[in-house]
Amino acid sequence: MGSPNGGAHDVACGRGAGVDDFRYRCVIMEELAREALASIHVGLTCHDDIVGPYLRDLCTDEQRKRWLPGVAGGEIITAMGMTEPDALIHLMERLPRERLALAYFAQTVAEHALAWTVEYTRTRKAFGAPLASLQNIRSKLAEMATEIDVTRTFVDAAVLALNDGELSATDAAKAKWWASDMQIRVIDTCVQLHGGYGYMMEYPIARVWQDARIQTIYGGANEIMKEIIGRELAAGG
Amino acid sequence: MGSPNGGAHDVACGRGAGVDDFRYRCVIMEELAREALASIHVGLTCHDDIVGPYLRDLCTDEQRKRWLPGVAGGEIITAMGMTEPDALIHLMERLPRERLALAYFAQTVAEHALAWTVEYTRTRKAFGAPLASLQNIRSKLAEMATEIDVTRTFVDAAVLALNDGELSATDAAKAKWWASDMQIRVIDTCVQLHGGYGYMMEYPIARVWQDARIQTIYGGANEIMKEIIGRELAAGG
Amino acid sequence: MGSPNGGAHDVACGRGAGVDDFRYRCVIMEELAREALASIHVGLTCHDDIVGPYLRDLCTDEQRKRWLPGVAGGEIITAMGMTEPDALIHLMERLPRERLALAYFAQTVAEHALAWTVEYTRTRKAFGAPLASLQNIRSKLAEMATEIDVTRTFVDAAVLALNDGELSATDAAKAKWWASDMQIRVIDTCVQLHGGYGYMMEYPIARVWQDARIQTIYGGANEIMKEIIGRELAAGG
Amino acid sequence: MGSPNGGAHDVACGRGAGVDDFRYRCVIMEELAREALASIHVGLTCHDDIVGPYLRDLCTDEQRKRWLPGVAGGEIITAMGMTEPDALIHLMERLPRERLALAYFAQTVAEHALAWTVEYTRTRKAFGAPLASLQNIRSKLAEMATEIDVTRTFVDAAVLALNDGELSATDAAKAKWWASDMQIRVIDTCVQLHGGYGYMMEYPIARVWQDARIQTIYGGANEIMKEIIGRELAAGG
């Protein structure tokens, strides 16, 4: 699989064929989320959101020609080697795209997790009636559906802003911490509603639960996101 | 003050001058919120969102002519007399507009409360430095700003859907419970950040705190909103 | 009403008759809470927990003789005049007793609020059945009952520790922030379960809701409590 | 390892040597928690809290003589085979002991998790200073320490009540849901404070995070615990 969209491929090939639309990438994330394939998404975001743009923006022309075609074509798989002091600063400077990718993935995973759980509670019976006939269960489904829908409008707006080159570091930080926190809250409730099955790796809900936990830690820990937002507010932004 | 927009006035006067845009009403809510005038908003929403549409939709022509001009012009101030069994059902059938009004008011009050609190924490000093220089304070400001921004995109989308006649009862219920819960969470934190001043009625933050509590109770208690949403999910909606 | 217990009266009268047991004071708090009389408790805690011990510990003998008999007998009603820089430090040095009083009052108010709410939901009918027959309502009652019982064991242990002269500043801080946060959470839910009645001052639940909000702000804001506890942990305590 | 305490061994051997004190079992749980050995504890609680007492209470004398010596001595490892309709009812009738075991294990795991995290944040440096020098970190440590200490007093009281044969089903349910919820909240925060290390299985905090999730599901899901408590309240208990 080559790079689904984005500058790396275009710059490498000199095409710029109008495919720099983050929504293509979103489609891929939705398909990965449907199959609970978070680890593949992590590889993709490293390759496509982090290393790709770095090569594009920080390399010499010669380096670009040497690396980007293979990166864009999928023959070269990139990775990161971080040393704490400096790499961190570079990362903090240009991470809106990666952060939005994490936020969008959080969003779509949460949506799938809810869909599985609605299905499960509609078909699974306890005491002769579907779980979803219990008021408490319905109430939790309603809370999750709301939280997911509310977040969806914000994440979608951020995608359009990114496409327009207008997604601020602050808004990307908001999307990242909020959506990843939401993802974990939602999935945690979904696991609980699945009962014992929610803790068995045969069920996708168990796998997305295990995979989700890193989302508030990497890509800039959520505490760092709040620091970015808070500083702007404190400075009068 | 006459009815800021909406069918009552138009139907009454036979004009239909293209002013059935809920955003006019939103402007009024924003101005009321700025001055912490929740009680006026309650009167407005009763008059304009509940009684007005009821007169318009459920009256005979004669009744409409008798009541609506005065209602729209502001000479007649309406009120509700609810008897539990039936009135409640009528209310539940046609409340998307009222619920969105409560949600929008929640949104704009929360935004003003945060603005006051950002200002307060930037200017108020403790131990020789502004409160906003404390990491904990900044973190809380960041959380509130995010929650408010996320909710704003959802509420705005719901306003446009209402204008298009496409706001479902379920989405109105989501907007109502989520925004009013958010309003109370945000204001509660703002009160805390104001310290002792947050509990003095001379400060607007104390007044909006006291006024906000009813928002999760009326207009359909938030538990009822979740029931509306949950039933649709349980039914396969 | 004179001072219910405590050193002020004993020192003043030279008796030391073995009544320095904080549980007498707890009885008074329970009776005040039953009648939703938070403002009287505030006066009592100022008089008996703050000013009294200060007069006893920091005065000259002559001052003690002049003031304490009236303070203990109730003829002299004390008050505080705080100037921010210094008074604050003195307060922070010797507040375990006051903080425990606030915690204990929070506990007993929460217990009464739950009792009113259990009674209300058992007798109030909706759709032909008591509110308490709804699963969601029962679940909330169960959560509150648990939170209250868990906190009760901690607060009671702190009262015994105070009696033994062994209540640390850190443990008093834990009791203060935890119990006051719990009080507000519980009362907020109780208001919600009362529906519209929960927002009417004729009902005690509305009055304790309004009175409770200051509890996390005064007596050392809860943020300060966490700072006291956190510093000890960070220092290896 | 034989049965650490409890009736099984005593009944089997006809000794009754005064060792039916649940605190011996607590010591074992504390040692297992220190090494993050939740899976061993699960085996122990099945063997010692569930199957053992069932054999003791529900068997014929002949069956007791046949099974209990091996069970108590550790030569026979027991297991459960549950069929949903009936076995569930038996379990619900006599689970205070098992539920308290889960609660106590939750408590001691949370305590160890906090201890590891305090140590980590005191020694790990970011930007030249220990993590624990950041106000936000200290605040989270303080919240966890408080929540743990508050729960400890309740769990300890429940252990003594069990020893006295006076632990009610309701109080066991309170201990079970509250402590397991607390365990998960605390560990989740501890993982976050460990950053990337918190998600690596080489660190005990990652292992206890993974193991903890089942605690709110088995032993009677926490929703069932609340139903037990709520029904008593609704019935006037």
Side-chain angles (χ1 to χ4, degrees):
Chain A
M1 177 173 59
S3 196
N5 78 313
H9 193 260
D10 299 344
V11 168
C13 308
R15 295 196 307 206
V19 293
D20 197 5
D21 186 333
F22 197 69
R23 288 175 294 181
Y24 287 101
R25 171 61 180 282
C26 294
V27 172
I28 293 181
M29 287 193 272
E30 295 193 5
E31 295 306 313
L32 292 174
R34 185 191 312 282
E35 303 299 327
L37 295 170
S39 59
I40 292 184
H41 177 254
V42 171
L44 184 63
T45 204
C46 170
H47 189 78
D48 199 50
D49 299 322
I50 301 176
V51 183
Y54 276 65
L55 293 177
R56 185 189 62 199
D57 296 348
L58 302 171
C59 282
T60 62
D61 271 353
E62 190 200 24
Q63 289 170 319
R64 277 195 202 93
K65 279 175 192 156
R66 190 163 146 211
W67 296 113
L68 283 177
V71 168
E75 295 90 25
I76 294 174
I77 305 297
T78 60
M80 283 188 291
M82 247 194 272
T83 58
E84 287 214 350
D86 45 18
L88 214 65
I89 287 163
H90 283 287
L91 282 167
M92 287 189 64
E93 278 172 357
R94 72 186 71 203
L95 286 174
R97 180 192 159 105
E98 187 215 354
R99 282 172 185 157
L100 182 57
L102 298 182
Y104 196 93
F105 194 68
Q107 175 68 29
T108 185
V109 171
E111 288 169 357
H112 286 295
L114 176 60
W116 301 330
T117 306
V118 168
E119 174 67 15
Y120 179 80
T121 58
R122 276 212 298 251
T123 52
R124 168 83 176 168
K125 294 193 175 180
F127 307 107
L131 280 175
S133 68
L134 293 166
Q135 192 192 20
N136 264 351
I137 304 281
R138 282 199 309 276
S139 179
K140 284 182 197 298
L141 296 178
E143 288 172 354
M144 290 191 287
T146 304
E147 195 166 8
I148 284 172
D149 283 4
V150 169
T151 306
R152 168 54 84 175
T153 55
F154 186 71
V155 169
D156 278 353
V159 168
L160 296 181
L162 181 76
N163 276 351
D164 293 343
E166 289 177 359
L167 181 66
S168 69
T170 305
D171 283 344
K174 287 176 183 171
K176 195 272 174 178
W177 89 256
W178 177 268
S180 58
D181 259 28
M182 181 276 288
Q183 173 192 14
I184 287 179
R185 271 197 305 275
V186 163
I187 291 176
D188 189 80
T189 302
C190 290
V191 165
Q192 188 71 18
L193 295 187
H194 275 79
Y197 297 118
Y199 202 63
M200 295 168 69
M201 284 298 157
E202 289 84 350
Y203 281 71
I205 194 65
R207 296 200 298 277
V208 298
W209 172 77
Q210 193 174 51
D211 289 339
R213 188 61 191 84
I214 191 65
Q215 288 260 107
T216 62
I217 296 173
Y218 66 10
N222 284 9
E223 289 76 16
I224 303 290
M225 299 300 104
K226 294 178 188 175
E227 189 64 23
I228 292 170
I229 303 159
R231 282 191 185 176
E232 187 177 276
L233 288 164
Chain B
M1 177 174 59
S3 197
N5 78 314
H9 193 260
D10 299 344
V11 168
C13 307
R15 292 195 307 207
V19 293
D20 197 5
D21 186 332
F22 198 69
R23 289 175 294 181
Y24 288 101
R25 170 60 179 284
C26 294
V27 172
I28 293 180
M29 287 193 273
E30 295 193 6
E31 295 306 313
L32 291 174
R34 186 191 311 281
E35 303 300 326
L37 295 170
S39 58
I40 293 182
H41 178 253
V42 171
L44 183 63
T45 204
C46 171
H47 189 78
D48 198 50
D49 298 322
I50 301 175
V51 183
Y54 277 66
L55 294 177
R56 186 189 61 198
D57 296 348
L58 301 172
C59 283
T60 63
D61 270 354
E62 190 199 24
Q63 289 170 320
R64 277 196 201 91
K65 279 178 191 155
R66 190 163 146 212
W67 296 113
L68 282 177
V71 168
E75 295 89 26
I76 294 173
I77 305 297
T78 61
M80 283 187 292
M82 249 194 270
T83 59
E84 288 213 352
D86 43 17
L88 214 63
I89 287 163
H90 282 286
L91 281 167
M92 287 187 64
E93 278 171 357
R94 71 187 71 202
L95 286 174
R97 182 191 158 104
E98 187 215 354
R99 282 173 186 156
L100 183 58
L102 298 182
Y104 196 93
F105 194 67
Q107 176 67 29
T108 184
V109 171
E111 287 170 356
H112 286 295
L114 176 61
W116 301 330
T117 306
V118 168
E119 173 68 15
Y120 179 81
T121 57
R122 276 214 296 251
T123 52
R124 168 82 176 170
K125 293 193 176 182
F127 307 107
L131 281 175
S133 68
L134 293 166
Q135 192 193 17
N136 263 352
I137 304 281
R138 283 198 310 274
S139 179
K140 285 183 196 296
L141 296 178
E143 288 173 354
M144 291 192 286
T146 304
E147 195 166 8
I148 284 172
D149 284 4
V150 169
T151 306
R152 168 55 84 175
T153 55
F154 186 72
V155 169
D156 278 354
V159 168
L160 296 181
L162 181 76
N163 276 351
D164 293 342
E166 290 176 0
L167 182 65
S168 68
T170 306
D171 282 345
K174 286 176 183 171
K176 195 272 175 179
W177 88 257
W178 178 267
S180 58
D181 259 28
M182 181 277 288
Q183 173 192 14
I184 287 180
R185 272 197 304 276
V186 163
I187 291 176
D188 190 79
T189 302
C190 289
V191 165
Q192 189 71 19
L193 295 187
H194 275 79
Y197 297 118
Y199 202 63
M200 295 169 68
M201 284 297 157
E202 289 85 350
Y203 281 72
I205 193 66
R207 295 201 299 277
V208 298
W209 173 77
Q210 193 173 52
D211 289 338
R213 188 62 191 82
I214 191 66
Q215 288 261 106
T216 62
I217 296 173
Y218 65 11
N222 284 10
E223 287 77 16
I224 303 291
M225 299 301 103
K226 293 178 190 176
E227 189 64 24
I228 291 170
I229 304 159
R231 284 190 183 177
E232 187 178 275
L233 288 164
Chain C
M1 178 173 59
S3 196
N5 78 313
H9 193 258
D10 298 344
V11 168
C13 307
R15 292 197 308 206
V19 292
D20 197 5
D21 186 332
F22 197 69
R23 289 175 294 181
Y24 287 101
R25 170 61 179 284
C26 294
V27 172
I28 292 180
M29 287 193 273
E30 295 192 7
E31 295 305 313
L32 292 174
R34 185 191 312 281
E35 304 299 327
L37 295 169
S39 58
I40 293 184
H41 177 254
V42 171
L44 184 64
T45 205
C46 171
H47 189 79
D48 199 50
D49 298 322
I50 302 176
V51 183
Y54 277 64
L55 294 176
R56 186 189 62 198
D57 296 350
L58 301 171
C59 283
T60 63
D61 270 355
E62 192 201 24
Q63 288 170 320
R64 277 195 201 93
K65 281 177 190 156
R66 191 165 145 208
W67 296 113
L68 283 177
V71 167
E75 296 90 25
I76 294 173
I77 305 297
T78 60
M80 283 188 292
M82 251 195 271
T83 59
E84 288 213 351
D86 43 20
L88 216 64
I89 287 163
H90 283 287
L91 282 167
M92 287 189 63
E93 278 171 357
R94 72 187 70 203
L95 286 176
R97 181 193 160 105
E98 186 215 354
R99 282 173 185 158
L100 183 57
L102 298 182
Y104 196 94
F105 194 68
Q107 175 68 28
T108 186
V109 170
E111 287 170 356
H112 286 296
L114 176 61
W116 300 329
T117 305
V118 168
E119 174 67 16
Y120 178 81
T121 58
R122 276 212 299 251
T123 53
R124 168 81 177 171
K125 294 192 175 180
F127 308 106
L131 282 175
S133 69
L134 293 166
Q135 191 192 20
N136 263 352
I137 304 281
R138 282 199 309 275
S139 179
K140 285 182 195 297
L141 295 178
E143 288 173 354
M144 290 191 286
T146 304
E147 195 165 9
I148 284 171
D149 283 4
V150 169
T151 306
R152 168 54 85 176
T153 54
F154 187 72
V155 169
D156 278 354
V159 167
L160 297 181
L162 181 75
N163 275 353
D164 292 343
E166 289 176 359
L167 181 66
S168 68
T170 305
D171 282 345
K174 287 176 183 171
K176 195 271 174 180
W177 88 256
W178 177 267
S180 57
D181 259 27
M182 180 276 289
Q183 174 191 13
I184 287 178
R185 272 197 305 275
V186 163
I187 290 176
D188 190 77
T189 301
C190 290
V191 165
Q192 189 71 18
L193 295 187
H194 275 79
Y197 296 119
Y199 203 63
M200 296 169 68
M201 285 297 157
E202 289 84 350
Y203 280 71
I205 194 66
R207 296 201 298 277
V208 298
W209 173 77
Q210 192 173 52
D211 289 339
R213 188 62 191 83
I214 192 65
Q215 287 260 107
T216 63
I217 297 173
Y218 64 12
N222 283 10
E223 288 76 16
I224 303 291
M225 299 300 104
K226 293 177 189 175
E227 189 64 25
I228 291 170
I229 303 160
R231 284 191 182 175
E232 187 177 275
L233 287 164
Chain D
M1 176 175 59
S3 196
N5 77 312
H9 193 261
D10 299 343
V11 169
C13 308
R15 293 197 309 207
V19 293
D20 197 5
D21 186 333
F22 198 68
R23 289 175 294 182
Y24 287 101
R25 171 60 179 285
C26 294
V27 171
I28 291 180
M29 288 193 273
E30 295 193 6
E31 294 306 313
L32 291 174
R34 185 191 312 281
E35 303 299 326
L37 295 169
S39 58
I40 294 183
H41 177 254
V42 171
L44 184 63
T45 204
C46 170
H47 189 79
D48 199 50
D49 299 322
I50 301 176
V51 183
Y54 277 65
L55 294 177
R56 186 190 62 199
D57 297 349
L58 302 171
C59 283
T60 62
D61 269 354
E62 192 200 23
Q63 289 170 321
R64 274 195 204 93
K65 279 178 191 154
R66 191 164 145 211
W67 296 112
L68 283 176
V71 167
E75 295 90 26
I76 294 172
I77 304 297
T78 62
M80 283 189 292
M82 249 194 272
T83 58
E84 286 212 352
D86 43 17
L88 215 64
I89 287 162
H90 282 287
L91 282 168
M92 287 188 63
E93 277 171 359
R94 70 187 72 203
L95 285 175
R97 181 193 159 104
E98 187 215 354
R99 283 173 185 156
L100 182 57
L102 298 182
Y104 196 93
F105 193 67
Q107 175 68 28
T108 185
V109 171
E111 288 169 357
H112 286 295
L114 176 61
W116 299 330
T117 306
V118 167
E119 174 66 16
Y120 179 80
T121 57
R122 276 212 298 253
T123 52
R124 168 82 176 170
K125 293 193 175 179
F127 308 107
L131 281 175
S133 68
L134 292 165
Q135 192 193 17
N136 264 352
I137 304 280
R138 281 199 309 276
S139 180
K140 285 183 196 297
L141 295 177
E143 288 173 354
M144 291 192 285
T146 303
E147 195 165 8
I148 285 172
D149 283 4
V150 169
T151 306
R152 168 55 85 175
T153 55
F154 186 71
V155 170
D156 278 354
V159 168
L160 297 181
L162 181 76
N163 276 351
D164 292 343
E166 290 177 357
L167 182 65
S168 68
T170 306
D171 282 346
K174 287 176 183 171
K176 196 272 175 178
W177 88 256
W178 177 268
S180 58
D181 259 28
M182 180 277 289
Q183 174 192 12
I184 287 179
R185 273 197 303 276
V186 163
I187 290 176
D188 189 78
T189 302
C190 289
V191 165
Q192 189 71 18
L193 295 187
H194 275 79
Y197 296 118
Y199 203 64
M200 296 168 68
M201 285 297 157
E202 290 85 350
Y203 281 71
I205 193 66
R207 296 200 299 277
V208 297
W209 173 78
Q210 193 175 51
D211 289 339
R213 188 61 191 83
I214 192 65
Q215 287 261 107
T216 63
I217 296 173
Y218 65 10
N222 284 9
E223 288 76 16
I224 303 291
M225 300 300 103
K226 293 177 188 175
E227 190 63 25
I228 292 170
I229 303 160
R231 283 191 184 177
E232 188 178 275
L233 287 164

